Amino acid sequence: MKGDAKTTVHANPFMPEPARIIRTQMLTKDVKFFQIRLADMEKALAFRYSPGQFIMLSVLGAGEAPFSISSTPSRPGLLEFCIRKAGTVTNALFRFKENDLVGLRGPYGNGFPLEEMLDRDILIVMGGLGAAPLRSVLLYCLDNRDKFRRVILLHGAKNPEEMIFREEFYSLKEREDLECFLTVDSDTTGEWKENIGVVTALFEKCRNINPADTAALVCGPPVMYKFVLKELVKLNIPKDQILMTLERRMKCGVGKCGHCAIDYIYTCLDGPVFTYWDVLHMRELI
Amino acid sequence: MRIVKLKKENLFPFLEVISKEADLWAPVKKYEDKHVFKAVEDFSEIDLDYQRTIIPPRRILLPPKTNMFEATQNTYKEDFSNVSKKIIFGIHACDVNALVIMDRFYNFAYDDPYYTRARENTLILGYSCWPDEHCLCKSTNTHIVTEGYDLFFSKLDTHYLVWIGSSQGDDLIRKQPSLFNEDISDKDIQTYLNWQKEREDAFQAEIDFIDMPDLIELKYNDPLWEELGKACLACGSCTNVCPTCNCYNVYDKPILGKNASKIVRCWDACTLENYSEVAGGENFRENRADRLKLWYTHKLQAYISKYGKPACVGCGRCIVSCPVDINVLTVGKTLSGEKVDAFWKRFNLQVKKEVRK
Ligand SMILES: Cc1cc2nc3c(=O)[nH]c(=O)nc-3n(C[C@H](O)[C@H](O)[C@H](O)COP(=O)(O)OP(=O)(O)OC[C@H]3O[C@@H](n4cnc5c(N)ncnc54)[C@H](O)[C@@H]3O)c2cc1C
Ligand code: SF4
Ligand code: SF4
Ligand code: FES
């Protein structure tokens, strides 16, 4: 090697920050809740994000994977995640205990268009792990309650044991400024007092919304989209006011690795939040 | 911009001077008519009479495997060991243009330091070429350079005309100005213009890229994609050889005996099977047809929609390397309704015949 290479200082977007696991809790038999804080307190407090954004978590020896932020920026300091055991990284994360260190970088992605949601009715429809990103925006709306009109939550799960944040959402039912409807396909516990049936059955509860002034937010397993989108269109909510977050394989989060590409869209930069209108124009999206 | 003249016999003395402070990479013959870029010490190895290297020059900036970090539980040490002062000499117009696309890509939204640092320590010395039957660069308008080079050498009979494209390029010339000559005669100019004209006329392969974005859209559900999918071997060659492909994967490589890992980034290809798989084993592009559609959407539509020109620079590498003739030329022509002779076509005919039997 000859000569001295120039070494302009570049911020390295791939560099993880050490972050400490503060608390963990099993939510269902394969989904775990994590509270994590950047180890550097100043950085922890300065960390800015918006609901719908995601971060990359890394575990030495296992690798890195994207996760939606489940907490709300209106409660700074702690970041919350709910993580399903799926493969190498998530299995390693499940073995981690309180006080252990992981790597964290981000936030990435566009997040929900909060500006466009102001002064509108907010209809949130979640299923399965879709609760992860949508809990962030739900809590954000509740913390800034006067900025939004009606806030409606429809949440469906296979059975009560698989309902993520069951207890938390259950207690939210107490709030008068939130219309919260929970449903399960079947009650395996014998103690379920809420609705039984698929999530689309809950749409009965929002017949009287004002569609032109509603932002609908959807996230859940692929099968859910098909039925829920149909209902939302039936309610006459404009397609560009139906927002959804999408999952793609992601290796970098910053538009370089190419894994999340759909046509000329990079899900990690241009998403993960898209409108139904976008989706109809990108054939591969769902 | 300034143009100077260099006598042919002064080329190696010039390379000698400039390679004192940087590694000189140049085309050398690997076997038969196959060339590669290599860091050369012995200039007699340099073979400027080459068509296209097997692997594009982006390999010099981001090799198939790049260590990003050496990491322990709470420290991540950046690894820039690939970064050194380099001069790439002998790079053709299409590849210079491909690097311009790469520069834009790696700087978009987030700056990728592994590329950027390597790139800012690299000087590009372009070299003129003559098309063969696979060169498509006239159709992509990348057969000439307007940016992205520090020096560009156009070969005439007894000397080179050398375009100076940057102040770093100018610095190279100034290391030994006596090798160069400023008085370009009318005869030189005429020789150059004649050469230029002859070269323009020498292109054989041609497709119309203007219509490609529309055609990709209109023929999104065309049976063509299934036909291509059936013949494609999912070998990933097309992606490895294309100078504007950039996808990569990342993995942790534990360092034995230490509680530490190397974080390695390695080339990946969207034409490979597990590229788009997500949690739960769901794969958004399980079949080859869908993956090829992504590749061609990227080359022929996506970049055009964003920047007004294709992401293909017409280097012809996919044309010479795909074992079943799936390449921009046969795909592009088929999309625009032209008949082509390609292995994948014959293969599909054969399959149909056998099904009929
Ligand atoms: C924007 C975004 C937000 C997300 N948010 C969340 C969230 O909040 N919570 C959550 O739990 N998940 C979330 N995910 C999904 C999560 O990132 C993936 O599940 C991730 O793959 C988990 O990493 P892993 O290493 O544990 O799994 P991996 O080891 O990557 O395995 C995941 C699956 O992919 C397959 N697979 C992986 N690599 C290969 C390969 N090389 N060859 C063949 N098959 C392979 C495996 O079969 C497995 O089914 C999100 C994803 C995105 C894109
Ligand atoms: S698509 Fe083919 S011809 Fe175009 S730049 Fe890539 S390898 Fe070269
Ligand atoms: S298109 Fe050709 S080169 Fe590319 S993966 Fe398929 S068979 Fe291999
Ligand atoms: S995750 Fe790497 S490009 Fe989007």
Side-chain angles (χ1 to χ4, degrees):
Chain A
M1 230 181 261
K2 298 173 193 168
D4 286 330
K6 234 199 309 189
T7 49
T8 317
V9 181
H10 289 275
N12 192 331
F14 305 105
M15 173 78 86
E17 271 293 321
R20 201 170 290 289
I21 297 179
I22 305 297
R23 191 170 73 88
T24 68
Q25 185 197 338
M26 291 305 290
L27 289 178
T28 71
K29 67 178 190 311
D30 61 352
V31 178
K32 202 172 189 173
F33 179 69
F34 288 82
Q35 279 185 325
I36 294 179
R37 185 166 54 210
L38 290 179
D40 181 329
M41 202 56 192
E42 255 173 54
K43 286 183 182 161
L45 290 171
F47 193 88
R48 294 278 173 275
Y49 64 96
S50 56
Q53 285 195 296
F54 65 96
I55 50 89
M56 300 292 285
L57 276 186
S58 49
V59 176
L60 193 71
E64 205 175 30
F67 298 99
S68 308
I69 309 179
S70 260
S71 48
T72 164
S74 44
R75 304 174 196 177
L78 274 182
L79 296 170
E80 295 172 341
F81 304 94
C82 42
I83 295 176
R84 168 172 287 151
K85 217 177 194 172
T88 327
V89 176
T90 46
N91 268 292
L93 278 171
F94 267 56
R95 285 194 295 274
F96 274 47
K97 289 186 291 296
E98 283 154 24
N99 247 344
D100 284 346
L101 285 174
V102 293
L104 186 154
R105 61 185 177 90
Y108 300 124
N110 56 356
F112 289 102
L114 295 175
E115 289 292 315
E116 290 165 34
M117 289 158 53
L118 294 180
D119 265 331
R120 287 204 156 135
D121 290 344
I122 307 296
L123 170 60
I124 299 176
V125 190
M126 52 171 83
L129 215 50
L134 289 181
R135 175 180 179 259
S136 174
V137 71
L138 172 71
L139 297 182
Y140 181 87
C141 290
L142 294 178
D143 285 353
N144 296 278
R145 193 59 191 85
D146 54 331
K147 292 191 183 151
F148 304 93
R149 289 202 244 168
R150 289 171 67 184
V151 180
I152 311 171
L153 167 64
L154 311 182
H155 184 184
K158 273 202 201 93
N159 53 56
E161 283 127 323
E162 287 198 26
M163 180 168 280
I164 291 163
F165 297 123
R166 183 184 60 227
E167 303 301 327
E168 181 175 327
F169 291 153
Y170 206 77
S171 62
L172 281 179
K173 286 187 70 82
E174 306 285 311
R175 283 183 75 134
E176 303 223 318
D177 56 358
L178 169 71
E179 297 159 62
C180 173
F181 303 102
L182 311 176
T183 188
V184 293
D185 296 351
S186 63
D187 178 19
T188 41
T189 57
E191 290 167 10
W192 185 251
K193 295 196 185 62
E194 303 298 316
N195 216 78
I196 296 187
V198 290
V199 75
T200 40
L202 294 177
F203 279 88
E204 271 312 309
K205 317 272 184 194
C206 30
R207 287 286 162 237
N208 57 350
I209 57 155
N210 174 8
D213 249 340
T214 298
L217 286 59
V218 194
C219 190
V223 280
M224 198 192 90
Y225 283 111
K226 219 164 81 192
F227 296 106
V228 168
L229 291 170
K230 216 188 267 169
E231 290 294 326
L232 293 172
V233 171
K234 248 196 254 166
L235 284 176
N236 284 323
I237 301 175
K239 293 191 185 71
D240 59 355
Q241 283 166 224
I242 301 175
L243 303 157
M244 41 213 286
T245 85
L246 298 180
E247 195 176 302
R248 274 291 176 287
R249 200 169 162 73
M250 289 185 181
K251 282 291 174 184
C252 73
V254 292
K256 304 298 178 215
C257 76
H259 280 263
C260 68
I262 312 161
D263 293 357
Y264 51 91
I265 299 292
Y266 281 112
T267 318
C268 65
L269 296 178
D270 306 305
V273 177
F274 293 96
T275 69
Y276 186 34
W277 175 253
D278 296 330
V279 170
L280 288 174
H281 287 253
M282 288 179 273
R283 277 167 278 217
E284 276 195 301
L285 224 43
I286 44 174
Chain B
M1 196 182 54
R2 202 157 61 96
I3 302 173
V4 291
K5 216 164 117 177
L6 178 73
K7 280 211 183 91
K8 275 204 175 140
E9 58 269 30
N10 283 344
L11 179 65
F12 279 8
F14 174 62
L15 295 181
E16 191 73 55
V17 172
I18 62 172
S19 64
K20 285 205 173 76
E21 285 162 39
D23 295 324
L24 185 78
W25 288 68
V28 303
K29 188 179 276 191
K30 185 142 186 192
Y31 34 75
E32 287 172 54
D33 59 341
K34 299 272 191 266
H35 289 75
V36 292
F37 277 104
K38 194 184 146 201
V40 287
E41 293 288 339
D42 174 4
F43 294 166
S44 68
E45 275 189 282
I46 299 176
D47 183 3
L48 288 166
D49 191 17
Y50 81 105
Q51 202 64 47
R52 56 182 72 74
T53 55
I54 307 170
I55 303 289
R58 67 180 162 88
R59 182 190 192 288
I60 305 167
L61 300 171
L62 280 178
K65 284 204 169 72
T66 310
N67 286 343
M68 299 174 76
F69 298 103
E70 193 168 315
T72 64
Q73 200 64 256
N74 48 14
T75 59
Y76 275 74
K77 216 173 124 250
E78 292 168 303
D79 183 345
F80 285 114
S81 53
N82 177 51
V83 175
S84 65
K85 279 212 174 301
K86 294 183 178 88
I87 293 173
I88 311 180
F89 172 69
I91 162 170
H92 290 167
C94 58
D95 282 344
V96 173
N97 281 297
L99 286 178
V100 172
I101 291 179
M102 291 283 122
D103 292 352
R104 192 168 295 150
F105 173 81
Y106 283 111
N107 274 302
F108 183 76
Y110 293 84
D111 185 14
D112 184 332
Y114 298 95
Y115 179 85
T116 313
R117 273 213 198 179
R119 182 67 181 86
E120 69 188 10
N121 281 289
T122 303
L123 297 180
I124 304 296
L125 275 48
Y127 194 86
S128 60
C129 51
W130 195 262
D132 71 1
E133 71 273 28
H134 303 307
C135 291
L136 258 182
C137 54
K138 194 179 161 191
S139 300
T140 48
N141 202 25
T142 49
H143 61 316
I144 44 169
V145 286
T146 51
E147 53 176 335
Y149 63 93
D150 298 288
L151 294 177
F152 197 95
F153 293 72
S154 285
K155 185 178 133 190
L156 300 179
D157 306 335
T158 54
H159 57 261
Y160 300 101
L161 287 186
V162 183
W163 272 251
I164 304 174
S166 74
S167 72
Q168 287 96 323
D170 197 51
D171 292 344
L172 291 182
I173 303 266
R174 279 173 207 285
K175 282 190 199 299
Q176 197 161 332
S178 59
L179 292 172
F180 295 85
N181 172 345
E182 301 256 356
D183 46 299
I184 297 169
S185 67
D186 285 350
K187 188 166 156 271
D188 294 333
I189 296 171
Q190 200 51 52
T191 320
Y192 173 70
L193 289 179
N194 291 346
W195 173 84
Q196 182 78 309
K197 166 99 187 46
E198 269 175 55
R199 180 172 179 262
E200 287 283 328
D201 294 340
F203 284 92
Q204 305 158 47
E206 191 186 0
I207 50 171
D208 190 354
F209 277 88
I210 300 294
D211 294 333
M212 284 305 149
D214 282 344
L215 284 172
I216 292 263
E217 201 64 36
L218 291 166
K219 301 215 170 175
Y220 198 82
N221 294 316
D222 199 274
L224 161 73
W225 299 109
E226 282 307 322
E227 270 187 55
L228 296 172
K230 280 196 194 111
C232 170
L233 309 170
C235 66
S237 303
C238 48
T239 316
N240 282 331
V241 302
C242 180
T244 65
C245 271
N246 45 54
C247 292
Y248 68 82
N249 213 334
V250 184
Y251 62 93
D252 265 45
K253 189 175 161 216
I255 303 171
L256 282 179
K258 283 202 241 173
N259 190 13
S261 277
K262 285 197 157 115
I263 316 290
V264 187
R265 136 183 193 172
C266 63
W267 289 7
D268 199 356
C270 63
T271 39
L272 301 178
E273 173 112 30
N274 52 16
Y275 182 79
S276 301
E277 196 168 63
V278 297
E282 174 126 19
N283 193 327
F284 289 92
R285 286 185 210 96
E286 207 152 357
N287 72 54
R288 290 168 196 196
D290 288 343
R291 298 199 300 272
L292 286 171
K293 215 184 275 183
L294 176 73
W295 206 86
Y296 284 98
T297 303
H298 256 226
K299 298 296 166 205
L300 304 177
Q301 184 192 44
Y303 203 78
I304 303 188
S305 326
K306 258 190 181 160
Y307 301 106
K309 51 184 182 185
C312 168
V313 294
C315 71
R317 286 187 179 89
C318 59
I319 303 176
V320 295
S321 62
C322 175
V324 297
D325 296 343
I326 299 175
N327 56 54
V328 272
L329 194 59
T330 62
V331 174
K333 285 202 158 159
T334 311
L335 282 172
S336 35
E338 278 181 61
K339 287 231 173 337
V340 297
D341 178 34
F343 182 88
W344 58 267
K345 285 219 110 162
R346 298 193 292 274
F347 173 83
N348 277 295
L349 281 177
Q350 190 66 32
V351 171
K352 269 189 210 140
K353 260 188 224 150
E354 268 160 37
V355 170
R356 248 179 263 137
K357 269 188 220 159

